[in-house]
Amino acid sequence: MKLSQFKFKLPEDLVALYPHQSQHTITKKDGAKETFTVTRADECRLMVAHKKSGKIEMLKKSAKGKPVKGNFLTFWNVVDYFGEGDAFVFNDTKVFPARLYGTKEKTDAKIEVFLLRELNEEMRLWDVLVEPARKIRIGNKLFFDDTGTMVAEVIDNTTSRGRTLRFLYDSPHEEFKRNLFALGEAPLPKYIIDKRENHHATADDLVNFQCVFAKNEGAVTAPATGLHFSRELMKMMEIKGIHSAYVTLHCGLGNFHEIEVEDLTKHKMDSEEMFIGKEACETVNQSKKGGHHVCIVGASVAKATETAVGTDGLLKEYNGWTNKFIFPPYNFGLADSMVVNFYHPESPLLMSTAAFGGYDLVMEAYELAVKNGYKFGCFGDALLIVND
């Protein structure tokens, strides 16, 4: 397919800059009512697309089974489409506070440094992106705190914006990382940071931009669909007999890079490190062999499981890297269901969604989402694709 086939008009006000918030009203002992606002990503809107029938659901139904106008499905309704023995596959990567702000020696020019990954633990070497890149050259020293304790030297250029930094910090590694991360912010995507009034992440973002089941540190952006799963929702799934399996794919920035070729077969994705263990394979394969549903949570899980699925349709253990780029037409080998967020035009995330649900059905769902004011992006609303 062509890049231009994934272009659509997305109004700026439909891009979510913060997680979904809900208003809740409580009645006090004296009968007075108090309304307050809470952040509840699990109460965002949910749209459901049915692959075989082509039906798209947006509204809850009355007792008579008729859609109720204005009463949209919420993410909690995801459990209504699954039952005992089904399995959800989650990405348990953990986001670290990768965005730092510092100054350049002598000039005191303000510099943004985005940590990508640690290259050498002993030498304190990190692969980073810098902004503005034109001001940062090999040999420059960057300062990240007022005391001059956290200092890094630029030792190599990697890409136009990429640099290798050596942190000049003499302490045990765990202490170094703890102090380095204490200076960082949650690595929200630029499309969020640039539109926020103060252009910064908040302390709350360190919590809100992390899945409740996050375990293995290494991601520089969150597996966004997983953000909707609260502890309460996952407990409800457990009570219903729905199994949870966890794979790890350390999400990088590749999904946010602009695709520069019209022919999608010529686009190359960045590589991301991933791990799939024995326990996850056993959980998923048991459900699949039993004829139950397997639902992948987000495009990162789609990439991981499709990298590791065997020709027999079962999940295999994996320890390595993947640069898999999924776009239509593509035959998925493992899952029969998928839940994802609504994403930007011409993004690899949208292409992965369209590959799973079918181009025409997914683009119809996106058209309805724009028309009905659904929110897009990492903090946006969700789309469930089922196989009936």
Side-chain angles (χ1 to χ4, degrees):
M1 297 195 78
K2 304 298 183 183
L3 175 65
S4 55
Q5 291 177 265
F6 295 92
K7 188 175 184 178
F8 64 93
K9 187 175 181 181
L10 177 61
E12 285 190 14
D13 63 347
L14 293 188
V15 178
L17 302 183
Y18 295 91
H20 178 82
Q21 293 184 323
S22 298
Q23 287 193 331
H24 290 256
T25 301
I26 60 173
T27 303
K28 298 181 179 179
K29 291 182 179 179
D30 60 2
K33 293 186 177 181
E34 180 181 355
T35 300
F36 56 96
T37 301
V38 293
T39 296
R40 290 301 301 262
D42 60 356
E43 293 180 359
C44 74
R45 288 192 197 178
L46 177 72
M47 186 184 293
V48 183
H50 299 258
K51 290 173 67 173
K52 291 182 179 178
S53 68
K55 181 176 67 174
I56 295 177
E57 295 179 81
M58 294 189 294
L59 303 174
K60 295 181 180 179
K61 296 178 180 178
S62 67
K64 295 182 179 180
K66 293 185 177 182
V68 180
K69 186 176 180 179
N71 191 7
F72 289 94
L73 293 168
T74 70
F75 198 79
W76 270 84
N77 292 114
V78 74
V79 299
D80 298 338
Y81 296 84
F82 299 92
E84 185 175 359
D86 294 338
F88 275 58
V89 189
F90 299 95
N91 184 0
D92 66 2
T93 186
K94 187 175 182 180
V95 178
F96 61 89
R99 182 173 280 116
L100 303 174
Y101 296 94
T103 56
K104 183 182 172 183
E105 64 174 338
K106 298 179 182 177
T107 67
D108 286 337
K110 295 187 181 301
I111 303 296
E112 177 184 316
V113 172
F114 195 97
L115 303 172
L116 295 176
R117 63 189 180 98
E118 190 171 33
L119 299 173
N120 186 294
E121 180 177 312
E122 184 179 349
M123 297 181 66
R124 309 285 193 266
L125 297 183
W126 279 79
D127 184 20
V128 307
L129 298 176
V130 294
E131 189 72 37
R134 66 183 185 279
K135 295 184 177 181
I136 308 301
R137 297 183 174 89
I138 294 174
N140 289 158
K141 286 188 172 63
L142 308 177
F143 294 82
F144 296 97
D145 59 8
D146 295 334
T147 65
T149 303
M150 189 65 69
V151 184
E153 180 182 10
V154 182
I155 65 169
D156 196 11
N157 298 327
T158 53
T159 63
S160 59
R161 293 177 55 222
R163 302 290 186 272
T164 301
L165 298 188
R166 179 173 62 222
F167 284 89
L168 310 177
Y169 199 96
D170 187 17
S171 70
H173 183 256
E174 286 305 312
E175 179 185 335
F176 159 70
K177 280 189 70 174
R178 184 169 60 249
N179 291 333
L180 176 65
F181 288 176
L183 298 170
E185 291 184 358
L188 299 179
K190 290 291 285 183
Y191 69 79
I192 292 178
I193 289 294
D194 290 346
K195 293 293 174 61
R196 285 192 178 181
E197 189 173 346
N198 64 355
H199 304 300
H200 280 278
T202 67
D204 288 341
D205 287 319
L206 284 172
V207 176
N208 295 333
F209 203 55
Q210 192 81 269
C211 298
V212 295
F213 46 78
K215 180 180 179 182
N216 298 308
E217 183 181 275
V220 294
T221 188
T225 310
L227 299 175
H228 297 299
F229 287 84
S230 62
R231 290 181 175 84
E232 295 84 358
L233 177 55
M234 296 192 76
K235 188 63 178 179
M236 177 66 72
M237 293 168 61
E238 181 184 339
I239 292 171
K240 200 170 180 180
I242 299 171
H243 303 301
S244 296
Y246 299 93
V247 302
T248 303
L249 184 140
H250 294 315
C251 303
L253 299 181
N255 287 317
F256 301 109
H257 293 164
E258 184 177 347
I259 296 179
E260 298 178 342
V261 291
E262 175 69 2
D263 182 355
L264 296 180
T265 63
K266 292 182 167 62
H267 178 66
K268 303 298 181 185
M269 290 291 291
D270 293 349
S271 292
E272 295 165 308
E273 193 172 13
M274 58 169 279
F275 309 90
I276 297 180
K278 180 180 179 181
E279 185 177 351
C281 293
E282 290 177 346
T283 299
V284 171
N285 293 338
Q286 181 179 358
S287 289
K288 187 160 186 179
K289 288 177 181 177
H292 300 288
H293 297 299
V294 174
C295 181
I296 46 179
V297 178
S300 66
V301 175
K303 182 186 298 186
T305 54
E306 286 304 301
T307 297
V309 67
T311 55
D312 57 358
L314 299 178
L315 191 61
K316 312 298 182 184
E317 294 180 51
Y318 191 96
N319 184 341
W321 295 75
T322 181
N323 64 349
K324 196 170 190 65
F325 177 35
I326 299 175
F327 60 93
Y330 181 89
N331 293 320
F332 279 75
L334 182 74
D336 68 341
S337 308
M338 182 184 195
V339 59
V340 287
N341 282 21
F342 286 97
Y343 293 109
H344 285 70
E346 300 182 323
S347 69
L349 299 165
L350 166 56
M351 295 167 190
S352 178
T353 305
F356 188 88
Y359 175 82
D360 291 336
L361 180 62
V362 168
M363 297 310 290
E364 181 185 353
Y366 267 62
E367 185 178 347
L368 287 171
V370 171
K371 184 178 179 179
N372 288 276
Y374 282 68
K375 293 294 186 177
F376 284 67
C378 291
F379 288 142
D381 294 317
L383 172 66
L384 171 65
I385 303 171
V386 292
N387 199 37
D388 57 8

